Amino acid sequence: MVTTGQMTGYAMAIALPLLAGLIPFYLFWKRSSKIERGMLGAIGYGVMGYFWQEIIYSFLGLLALTKMRGVLNATGGNAVVVAFVEALAGSLFVAAGLYWGIYLTNTKQRSLYRSATVGIGFGLGAAILTYGFQLYYAVKINTGAFTGTDLAKANILATTTASLYVDAYRNILVVMVYMGVALLTGKYYLEKNRLASWLVPILTYVFMRFTDVLLNTYAPALAAKTIYLIVLTLLAAASLWMVYQWLKKGTLELGKK
């Protein structure tokens, strides 16, 4: 059985990032409500952008695993190359998902408020898709209706409550990072600098993903997780500082097309 603590942890891995995301969302909404609408729609674009890119990428990843198992299971120096290629491939889908949301939210009216909000939704989409399924499976296990694999069940049962709260903190950081990435992406998009608007999410994701893989490959599990959280914390802090400075200077109000 999945314990009450574990169930709560799975729920908090979604709820805490949601609550954290509501803070900048409220600030954006308060600043923008007199000149524009569509903030909730921007959140939705972000969530859906994450969903479709992740679903497509996961499907292609499973397909690649069946066709290229030997390559993907490489070790040593080859493993680093494979990890980088995987991070680069994933970054293209992440950039596409963010760009799609930012494009749609700026179709009728230019807005960096809504662009940044797409990033909040994108980060929340990651938490919802990952831990929403885990919570659903946990409920199924406790009701005796779980029909998944024994390995999936064992992984859920073995997940500690403490690790789930650490994951909740990581999810909060991811929301903040994607908010800043979307803000920059939106800025370059509105300036018609298409190359920069793609490079920002690509480079950010490659750095995050490649760092995570390298740490998990070459460092002890606890050290890898700790260092990665520190890296994410620094990225989130930089994102928040950038958003704060732009709000402070009032450079987000770009008006209508």
Side-chain angles (χ1 to χ4, degrees), residues 149-171:
T149 65
D150 291 338
L151 178 60
K153 182 178 181 179
N155 287 336
I156 292 173
L157 293 174
T159 302
T160 65
T161 302
S163 69
L164 288 169
Y165 279 95
V166 172
D167 290 347
Y169 174 65
R170 183 193 62 201
N171 290 345

Side-chain angles (χ1 to χ4, degrees), residues 118-173:
V118 168
I120 296 175
F122 198 86
L124 290 176
I128 293 170
L129 190 61
T130 302
Y131 293 90
F133 274 115
Q134 297 297 321
L135 180 59
Y136 172 75
Y137 292 147
V139 172
K140 287 289 188 179
I141 290 172
N142 281 3
T143 57
F146 183 74
T147 58
T149 65
D150 291 338
L151 178 60
K153 182 178 181 179
N155 287 336
I156 292 173
L157 293 174
T159 302
T160 65
T161 302
S163 69
L164 288 169
Y165 279 95
V166 172
D167 290 347
Y169 174 65
R170 183 193 62 201
N171 290 345
I172 292 171
L173 297 177

Side-chain angles (χ1 to χ4, degrees), residues 27 29 39 87 124 137 142 160 168 198 202 223 234:
L27 294 175
W29 173 80
M39 295 291 285
L124 290 176
Y137 292 147
N142 281 3
T160 65
W198 278 84
I202 287 174
L234 293 174

Side-chain angles (χ1 to χ4, degrees), residues 24-25 28-29 32 36-44 111 113-114 117:
F25 174 82
F28 295 156
W29 173 80
S32 67
E36 64 183 72
R37 295 181 179 180
M39 295 291 285
L40 287 176
I43 282 275
S111 174
Y113 291 114
R114 293 198 308 275
T117 302

Side-chain angles (χ1 to χ4, degrees), residues 202-217:
I202 287 174
L203 293 177
T204 303
Y205 182 83
V206 166
F207 174 73
M208 290 167 57
R209 178 62 180 163
F210 192 54
T211 299
D212 188 27
V213 172
L214 283 181
L215 288 172
N216 281 288
T217 301

Side-chain angles (χ1 to χ4, degrees), residues 47 87 203 232:
V47 172
L203 293 177
L232 276 184

Side-chain angles (χ1 to χ4, degrees), residues 40-189:
L40 287 176
I43 282 275
Y45 288 142
V47 172
M48 293 307 298
Y50 183 85
F51 279 9
W52 72 252
Q53 66 84 26
E54 181 65 18
I55 291 170
I56 294 174
Y57 181 68
S58 297
F59 172 76
L60 294 177
L62 288 173
L63 185 62
L65 184 61
T66 61
K67 302 294 184 180
M68 306 168 60
R69 188 179 299 272
V71 175
L72 296 177
N73 291 333
T75 59
N78 290 335
V80 175
V81 175
V82 171
F84 179 79
V85 172
E86 186 273 334
L88 182 60
S91 73
L92 296 176
F93 284 86
V94 166
L98 274 176
Y99 192 91
W100 175 81
I102 289 169
Y103 165 77
L104 290 178
T105 203
N106 285 288
T107 299
K108 295 181 178 180
Q109 185 180 23
R110 294 158 57 91
S111 174
L112 275 178
Y113 291 114
R114 293 198 308 275
S115 296
T117 302
V118 168
I120 296 175
F122 198 86
L124 290 176
I128 293 170
L129 190 61
T130 302
Y131 293 90
F133 274 115
Q134 297 297 321
L135 180 59
Y136 172 75
Y137 292 147
V139 172
K140 287 289 188 179
I141 290 172
N142 281 3
T143 57
F146 183 74
T147 58
T149 65
D150 291 338
L151 178 60
K153 182 178 181 179
N155 287 336
I156 292 173
L157 293 174
T159 302
T160 65
T161 302
S163 69
L164 288 169
Y165 279 95
V166 172
D167 290 347
Y169 174 65
R170 183 193 62 201
N171 290 345
I172 292 171
L173 297 177
V174 169
V175 170
M176 297 300 110
V177 170
Y178 278 130
M179 177 182 67
V181 169
L183 182 63
L184 274 180
T185 301
K187 175 181 183 295
Y188 289 126
Y189 173 82

